[in-house]
Amino acid sequence: MNFLAHFHLAWPEEGLILGALEGDFYKGPLQGDLPRDIERGVVLHRAIDAYTDRHDQVAQLRRALPPRLRRYAGILIDLSFDHVLARHWQDFSDLPLREFNTTVYTTLHAQGALLSPAARAMSQRLQDHDILHLYREWRTVTASAQRIGERFTRGN
């Protein structure tokens, strides 16, 4: 769910940006049914997730959470990473955050027909609410976590 970080690491290739989003929605092994550049983006997305999930500092963050929240640790950490990235964007990019986000939204909109319905719906939510920019505000992180929690089958 750390969309901003995935988009930043996929930048500036359109296919990788699309795959950065699709990576949260495409399940199972890749079988060549996605356009090649989007598939490369899904592969990149999965490699980033695997790297961060195995990182010692992320493991420490997971253990620091109260036991009742550890089931949600990955989501909470991902959302927090996007918050920190948005707050300190100027340390990681010469391109202003607003300009970066606009370009990502434009790419997602222009190429949306190539995305799965779930990724397309998320793309629309990101754009409608300018979530990438709003990650600067902590309340966006908590609101996002709450919306995600509402979809859990075992309660939140």
Side-chain angles (χ1 to χ4, degrees):
M1 297 293 143
N2 51 340
F3 297 117
L4 183 59
H6 279 286
F7 292 141
H8 180 55
L9 294 171
W11 185 261
E13 291 186 45
E14 285 188 0
L16 294 182
I17 290 169
L18 294 166
L21 179 61
E22 192 66 60
D24 273 330
F25 301 97
Y26 191 94
K27 304 302 178 199
L30 293 165
Q31 300 176 8
D33 53 336
L34 294 173
R36 184 178 168 278
D37 288 343
I38 296 175
E39 193 165 288
R40 286 180 46 238
V42 172
V43 168
L44 176 62
H45 180 113
R46 290 177 178 181
I48 292 164
D49 283 353
Y51 175 80
T52 56
D53 288 348
R54 287 189 312 263
H55 199 282
D56 289 340
Q57 290 179 329
V58 172
Q60 289 175 7
L61 287 172
R62 288 177 185 276
R63 287 191 301 272
L65 288 170
R68 64 183 173 76
L69 293 178
R70 288 191 188 143
R71 175 175 170 222
Y72 315 107
I75 295 166
L76 297 172
I77 291 168
D78 281 355
L79 291 170
S80 298
F81 282 172
D82 268 4
H83 171 68
V84 171
L85 178 57
R87 297 283 301 194
H88 300 280
W89 182 261
Q90 68 282 355
D91 295 337
F92 301 98
S93 178
D94 293 331
L95 191 63
L97 180 60
R98 181 73 70 191
E99 188 177 334
F100 175 83
N101 294 342
T102 298
T103 304
V104 168
Y105 295 148
T106 300
T107 298
L108 294 174
H109 180 75
Q111 304 294 326
L114 299 173
L115 295 170
S116 67
R120 198 173 319 122
M122 177 55 72
S123 168
Q124 194 62 54
R125 279 193 298 280
L126 290 171
Q127 293 173 62
D128 288 349
H129 303 286
D130 193 15
I131 292 171
L132 297 178
H133 192 75
L134 290 179
Y135 273 135
R136 295 174 53 86
E137 301 173 23
W138 184 248
R139 67 185 169 147
T140 303
V141 173
T142 58
S144 295
Q146 183 176 359
R147 277 191 301 282
I148 292 166
E150 290 168 358
R151 296 193 307 256
F152 291 147
T153 55
R154 292 194 273 169
N156 180 10

